[in-house]
Structures are given as C-alpha cells and as structure tokens.
Amino acid sequence: MRKTTFVLLIAAAAAATAGVAYQVVRPGEAVVSARSGEVFLPELQRRANDVRELVLTRSSGTATLKQQGDRWIFVEKGDYPANGEQVRRVLVELADLRLVEAKTRKAELYPRLQVEDVTEKDSRSTLMTVKDGQGAVIADVVIGRRRIDRLGGGRDSLYVRRKGSEQAWLAAGNVDITGEFQRFLVRPLIDIKPERIAEVATIQGDGTRLVIGRAKAEDAMAVVDLPAGKAVTEKDKVEKAASALAGIDLDDVRKRGEADIPDNAVKAEIRTFDGLVVKVATHETNYRAWARFTVETTPEAGDAAKKEAAALKARLEPYDFELLGYKTAPFTTKLADLVGES
C-alpha cells in the first residue's frame, strides 16, 4: 500500500466515543484502566506505515500476505499476487476496533466466544499477526465470533483476545476475515474478448481433435471439417467457443506441477486473429477443475501480440489454476457434445 494510505484511512475512521471506565487485570500486571470506546490496538494505529506482513492462522491452515514493493503476495500460494485492497481493508478494520467491555478470563469459556488458541482441536478462532518489514510483531490478536448489529444502530462487534493475554473482550467493529483464505488472491486471470478469437481446437486424451473457427471476426464460429452425416444440434456451444478466454477468474492457485494434471489431460489451443496462442491442459479430479496455461505467438504476430504474450507467460506459466467447472467447458468440448451424441 502507499506510505500514507493506511494511516489516512485509519484516521478517517478513528473518532473515539466516550464511555464508562472500568478496570481489568492482565497476567503479571497491575490493575489496568480501560474505557469504552478506547482503541483496542493503539500500537497498530501508531505504526500503521510500518506494516509489511499479515499472517492469518486457523486450525485448518495459514495465509501469509506480504508486501513486496507496491504489491502484496500470498506466500503459501507460490507468492501469487494478493489483493492489496482486501488486505488494506482488513488491516484498517483491525486497527479501528474499539473496546466495549471486558469478558471472560477463563480459558474453558473461550470456545463460547471463539477466542481459543488456534492450536486447540476444533478451534474456530483466527489468529491475526501483523508484522513490520523486519518481521517484528506489531499486533498479535485472536479474532473470535462476530456479532452482527450487537450494539444496535447497525453497529457490529466481535470477541477478541490479545495473544498471550487471558482477558477476552467484546470490541466494536467488524474485521471481515470470513470465508476461505483464497479470497485474498487476485482473482481475475485472463480476459480475451470473443471478437479476437479465430480458432479453438480441443484435443482429447486419445488424440481426437475438434476445431471450431472462422476466417473473419464478423463470421460466426463453426465446426471445421464437420464429418459427413453429422449435424450440429448444440449451436450455442459452438458460438460460445469464442468466449473461451473471456472473463476467467481463478478459484485457487498452486505452483506449476503441484496440481493433478496428467500428461494425457484434455488440451485446448486458442488462437487470436492477431497471432496470440494460448494452450490449456485441463483435468477434473474430486470435483475440482485444474488448468495449466502455456502462451505462444504465431510467426505472423505483431509487436502488440508479442508484448501481451510475454505478460501472460509471466503471470500464468509459473502456476496451475483451479477454475469454475463451466469456465473449463470450452477447453474440453468434443464433437459428440455438439451433435447430440454425448
């Protein structure tokens, strides 16, 4: 994130509300005064510009999000780009949490609030660790159960506990870290407009080849060399071949070679009118469709297509991608799917 953006966003959201003072005792410390409306993590607000890493830990796994220059990466996903806006929003929400009231100090009651240690069996909490560029911890907080509109007037709250502290709190605010960690990935993958597509060829594991194409952008897509006696009944599938690479978002990502994509996987070769060639190997296993992309250009390709190919190669070829099943359909179409024999 930009140097001042995080601080400015926090400052804009940091209007403290006065409340009733009370006292709590932290392990090994004297009585500590706190006030309703007080910032839960003042150190995070003070050192906002130092933040370079966010680690989310659950019983099911860990997501390490690091800032590299002007971008964020997801370490466990092969350093694939992370959504900086998502990361920044979560950090701002965390920094803006404000105390409402002290809750339990008894570990046996933590599961009710979902602020138990993430290492415990069946834990439902999330540990959020915020670090600076040297790896020093700025904040280390267990995030628990959310309470929608708990404070009335549309104000949400959640239960929190500093790591290593016995005291659990109800805090005003809403740190949205729900869902799978994949939500922090940059999801848009490739978007090549249908009018650019000249040909889509699919090659089955046994070598059977189907080609759908056209000579000019204004022509309709059609099956090339349709066998005698065969008639296309699924014309929409033929036409949708032109959208094979339009608006594709990833669901998950792994380093290339980690996904289960065998050598005899179904393959597709998509060629644009200006000489860009995208090859895709697709394999579905356990209801998960994984795809592996290779990017080339034809000998006739111009400088623009070559530049586009270089950018796509850098983004796509180091990884394997999980895609929604319907998005992989154009990569696996066979003739039987078009003539009503499947």
Side-chain angles (χ1 to χ4, degrees), residues 319-333:
Y319 303 97
D320 295 328
F321 300 93
E322 184 185 11
L323 309 178
L324 290 175
Y326 77 94
K327 284 293 186 179
T328 65
F331 306 146
T332 61
T333 304

Side-chain angles (χ1 to χ4, degrees), residues 131-238:
K131 301 180 182 181
D132 63 19
Q134 288 70 48
V137 175
I138 298 174
D140 218 0
V141 183
V142 180
I143 300 294
R145 182 158 56 95
R146 301 167 69 195
R147 302 295 303 274
I148 306 300
D149 199 26
R150 170 67 172 77
L151 305 177
R155 294 182 301 159
D156 299 335
S157 61
L158 73 167
Y159 297 108
V160 294
R161 181 173 62 85
R162 294 181 181 88
K163 183 181 178 182
S165 172
E166 295 179 355
Q167 183 65 59
W169 298 87
L170 177 66
N174 185 5
V175 182
D176 186 4
I177 50 174
T178 56
E180 300 296 326
F181 289 149
Q182 287 92 316
R183 58 170 284 198
F184 289 100
L185 292 166
V186 173
R187 306 299 287 274
L189 191 59
I190 186 170
D191 186 17
I192 296 179
K193 302 304 181 185
E195 56 267 24
R196 292 183 58 193
I197 302 300
E199 182 179 282
V200 178
T202 57
I203 305 96
Q204 303 301 317
D206 61 2
T208 304
R209 186 180 181 92
L210 169 70
V211 180
I212 300 173
R214 55 189 170 183
K216 303 185 298 296
E218 56 268 28
D219 294 342
M221 298 291 282
V223 176
V224 177
D225 296 329
L226 181 67
K230 300 288 185 180
V232 173
T233 59
E234 301 292 335
K235 295 181 179 180
D236 61 326
K237 292 182 180 179
V238 175

